[in-house]
Amino acid sequence: MKAFNIEDTAMILIDHQVGTNTWASTTPLELLQRNVIILAKFAKGTGMPTVLTSSQETNVNVQGPLMPELQEILPEEFAARIKRQGVVNAWDDENFANACRNTGKKNFVMAGVTTDVCMVAPAISALEEGFNVKVVCDACGSTNQIAEEMSWRRMERAGIGLTSTNAIVAELVKNWASTAGAIAFPLLT
């Protein structure tokens, strides 16, 4: 899979909700949230278009709102987030799919919680529509390790690149001495 560049890539963050995040026991909660924040700050700092979506935010006792840090980092994207009302495959929600398409980018860096339910289907759907997709595995997580590993296998077999937060940021930066590097380096240390 070809390396992604900032200029042709959008950041897609799916269902990083205060309740849903706690279901992702395969990635420690603090690490998962840290990585989502890094991805959001990097996208904001480099001007990458970002799409946010949530599922049933009003189900406060289970799923709840998106992480409040996302509202602080990406206030416009947060206000424009796609609030799905139960559609499991986010790509099946026409508002979400159109928001991703409307970024004008051919490459998507995607992360979502939970990997097995919230991430696999939209990543494969975007790929099948012709987008290049890389999933940031340490900004995702599932309820158990078997579900997580099966999700990785499904996505890899479909042709999705699997990566980590630090790896995708480094791939996009290309040069630590660049403007993007100056944005990224403090986030990763």
Side-chain angles (χ1 to χ4, degrees):
M1 178 173 269
K2 191 173 111 175
F4 284 10
N5 300 300
I6 291 170
E7 299 76 27
D8 59 14
T9 302
M11 187 71 65
I12 315 294
L13 301 175
I14 301 171
D15 298 347
H16 290 103
Q17 297 166 241
V18 295
T20 312
N21 283 356
T22 65
W23 304 348
S25 59
T26 57
T27 304
L29 181 59
E30 185 177 315
L31 176 65
L32 184 145
Q33 291 176 327
R34 172 191 174 273
N35 291 335
V36 171
I37 290 167
I38 288 170
L39 294 173
K41 285 183 175 181
F42 181 73
K44 177 70 171 187
T46 58
M48 289 174 61
T50 303
V51 176
L52 303 176
T53 187
S54 62
S55 178
Q56 295 184 307
E57 281 188 29
T58 55
N59 190 353
V60 177
N61 295 326
V62 181
Q63 290 160 291
L66 285 176
M67 294 169 48
E69 295 88 346
L70 293 174
Q71 184 174 16
E72 293 169 22
I73 299 163
L74 299 161
E76 292 174 22
E77 294 84 349
F78 186 89
R81 73 193 178 280
I82 310 306
K83 296 181 190 178
R84 301 184 334 278
Q85 296 304 313
V87 175
V88 176
N89 178 353
W91 202 262
D92 288 343
D93 184 303
E94 203 58 32
N95 293 320
F96 172 77
N98 283 335
C100 294
R101 293 176 189 120
N102 291 338
T103 65
K105 307 301 179 182
K106 64 179 181 174
N107 298 329
F108 293 158
V109 171
M110 300 178 88
V113 169
T114 57
T115 313
D116 56 334
V117 176
C118 304
M119 186 71 267
V120 171
I124 291 173
S125 295
L127 183 79
E128 288 174 345
E129 192 170 310
F131 294 95
N132 303 310
V133 177
K134 291 189 181 181
V135 170
V136 186
C137 295
D138 60 358
C140 302
S142 296
T143 57
N144 65 76
Q145 195 58 43
I146 294 170
E148 189 75 350
E149 290 180 24
M150 294 304 101
S151 300
W152 296 339
R153 287 183 190 181
R154 282 184 66 196
M155 289 188 289
E156 275 189 319
R157 286 184 181 145
I160 293 165
L162 302 182
T163 189
S164 67
T165 300
N166 289 1
I168 194 63
V169 168
E171 177 180 326
L172 291 164
V173 164
K174 308 223 180 315
N175 180 346
W176 296 117
S178 68
T179 303
I183 292 164
F185 200 74
L187 297 173
L188 302 180
T189 56

Coordinates of all heavy atoms in Angstrom, one line a residue, residues 14-15 53-56 63 84-93 96 113-114 116-122:
I14 N -14.5 7.6 14.4 CA -15.8 7.0 14.6 C -16.1 6.5 16.0 O -15.4 5.7 16.5 CB -16.0 5.8 13.6 CG1 -15.7 6.2 12.2 CG2 -17.3 5.0 13.8 CD1 -15.6 5.1 11.2
D15 N -17.2 7.1 16.6 CA -17.7 6.6 17.8 C -16.8 6.6 19.0 O -16.9 5.8 19.9 CB -18.3 5.2 17.7 CG -19.4 5.2 16.6 OD1 -19.9 6.3 16.2 OD2 -19.8 4.1 16.2
T53 N -18.1 11.2 13.9 CA -19.5 10.6 13.9 C -19.7 9.9 15.3 O -18.7 9.5 15.9 CB -19.8 9.6 12.8 OG1 -21.1 9.2 12.8 CG2 -18.9 8.4 12.8
S54 N -20.9 9.8 15.7 CA -21.3 9.2 16.9 C -22.6 8.4 16.7 O -23.3 8.6 15.7 CB -21.5 10.2 18.0 OG -22.6 11.0 17.7
S55 N -22.8 7.4 17.6 CA -24.0 6.6 17.5 C -24.8 6.7 18.8 O -24.3 6.5 19.9 CB -23.6 5.1 17.3 OG -24.8 4.3 17.2
Q56 N -26.0 7.1 18.7 CA -26.9 7.2 19.8 C -26.3 8.0 21.0 O -26.3 7.4 22.1 CB -27.4 5.8 20.2 CG -28.3 5.2 19.1 CD -28.8 3.9 19.5 OE1 -28.1 3.0 20.0 NE2 -30.1 3.7 19.3
Q63 N -23.6 4.7 25.7 CA -22.7 5.3 24.7 C -22.3 6.7 25.0 O -21.1 7.0 25.0 CB -23.4 5.2 23.3 CG -23.5 3.7 22.9 CD -24.5 3.5 21.8 OE1 -25.7 3.7 22.0 NE2 -24.0 3.2 20.6
R84 N -25.4 9.5 14.3 CA -26.2 8.4 13.7 C -27.2 7.9 14.8 O -26.9 7.9 16.0 CB -25.3 7.2 13.3 CG -24.3 7.7 12.3 CD -23.4 6.6 11.7 NE -23.1 5.5 12.6 CZ -22.2 5.5 13.6 NH1 -21.5 6.5 13.8 NH2 -22.1 4.4 14.3
Q85 N -28.3 7.5 14.4 CA -29.4 7.0 15.3 C -29.5 5.5 15.3 O -30.6 5.0 15.3 CB -30.7 7.7 14.9 CG -30.7 9.2 15.1 CD -30.3 9.6 16.5 OE1 -30.8 9.1 17.5 NE2 -29.4 10.6 16.5
G86 N -28.3 4.8 15.4 CA -28.4 3.4 15.5 C -27.8 2.6 14.4 O -27.6 1.4 14.4
V87 N -27.5 3.3 13.3 CA -26.9 2.6 12.1 C -25.6 2.1 12.5 O -24.7 2.8 12.9 CB -26.8 3.6 10.9 CG1 -26.1 2.9 9.7 CG2 -28.2 4.1 10.5
V88 N -25.4 0.8 12.4 CA -24.2 0.1 12.8 C -23.0 0.5 11.9 O -22.0 1.0 12.3 CB -24.4 -1.4 13.0 CG1 -23.0 -2.1 13.4 CG2 -25.4 -1.7 14.0
N89 N -23.2 0.2 10.6 CA -22.1 0.5 9.7 C -22.3 2.0 9.3 O -23.2 2.4 8.6 CB -22.2 -0.4 8.4 CG -21.2 0.0 7.3 OD1 -20.4 1.0 7.5 ND2 -21.1 -0.8 6.3
A90 N -21.4 2.8 9.9 CA -21.5 4.2 9.7 C -21.6 4.6 8.2 O -22.2 5.6 7.9 CB -20.3 4.9 10.3
W91 N -20.9 3.8 7.3 CA -21.0 4.1 5.9 C -22.4 4.0 5.3 O -22.7 4.6 4.3 CB -20.0 3.2 5.1 CG -19.6 3.8 3.8 CD1 -20.1 3.5 2.6 CD2 -18.6 4.8 3.6 NE1 -19.5 4.3 1.6 CE2 -18.6 5.1 2.2 CE3 -17.7 5.5 4.4 CZ2 -17.7 6.0 1.6 CZ3 -16.9 6.4 3.8 CH2 -16.9 6.7 2.4
D92 N -23.2 3.2 6.0 CA -24.6 3.1 5.5 C -25.4 4.3 5.9 O -26.6 4.5 5.3 CB -25.3 1.9 6.2 CG -24.7 0.6 5.6 OD1 -24.1 0.6 4.5 OD2 -24.9 -0.5 6.2
D93 N -24.9 5.2 6.7 CA -25.6 6.5 7.0 C -25.1 7.4 5.9 O -24.0 7.8 5.8 CB -25.2 7.0 8.4 CG -25.9 8.3 8.7 OD1 -25.8 9.3 8.0 OD2 -26.6 8.3 9.8
F96 N -23.0 10.5 6.8 CA -21.6 10.2 7.1 C -20.8 9.9 5.9 O -19.7 10.5 5.7 CB -21.5 9.0 8.1 CG -20.1 8.5 8.3 CD1 -19.3 9.2 9.2 CD2 -19.6 7.4 7.7 CE1 -18.0 8.8 9.4 CE2 -18.3 7.0 7.9 CZ -17.5 7.7 8.7
V113 N -14.2 3.0 17.7 CA -14.5 2.2 18.8 C -15.9 1.7 18.7 O -16.8 2.5 18.5 CB -14.3 2.9 20.1 CG1 -14.8 2.1 21.3 CG2 -12.8 3.3 20.3
T114 N -16.2 0.4 18.8 CA -15.2 -0.7 18.9 C -14.8 -1.1 17.5 O -15.5 -1.0 16.6 CB -15.9 -1.8 19.7 OG1 -17.1 -2.2 18.9 CG2 -16.3 -1.5 21.1
D116 N -14.4 -4.2 16.3 CA -15.2 -5.2 15.7 C -16.6 -4.8 15.2 O -17.1 -5.4 14.2 CB -15.3 -6.5 16.6 CG -15.8 -6.2 17.9 OD1 -15.8 -5.0 18.4 OD2 -16.4 -7.1 18.6
V117 N -17.2 -3.8 15.9 CA -18.5 -3.4 15.5 C -18.5 -2.1 14.7 O -19.2 -1.9 13.7 CB -19.4 -3.3 16.7 CG1 -20.8 -2.8 16.4 CG2 -19.5 -4.7 17.4
C118 N -17.8 -1.1 15.2 CA -17.9 0.3 14.7 C -16.8 0.5 13.6 O -17.0 1.5 12.8 CB -17.6 1.3 15.8 SG -18.8 1.2 17.2
M119 N -15.8 -0.2 13.5 CA -14.7 0.1 12.6 C -14.6 -0.7 11.4 O -14.4 -0.2 10.3 CB -13.3 0.0 13.4 CG -12.1 0.5 12.6 SD -12.0 2.3 12.3 CE -12.8 2.4 10.8
V120 N -14.8 -2.0 11.5 CA -14.6 -2.9 10.4 C -15.4 -2.6 9.2 O -15.0 -2.4 8.0 CB -14.8 -4.4 10.8 CG1 -14.8 -5.3 9.6 CG2 -13.7 -4.9 11.8
A121 N -16.7 -2.5 9.4 CA -17.7 -2.3 8.3 C -17.5 -1.0 7.5 O -17.4 -1.0 6.3 CB -19.1 -2.4 8.8
P122 N -17.4 0.2 8.2 CA -17.1 1.4 7.4 C -15.8 1.4 6.7 O -15.7 2.0 5.6 CB -17.3 2.5 8.4 CG -17.2 1.9 9.7 CD -17.6 0.5 9.6

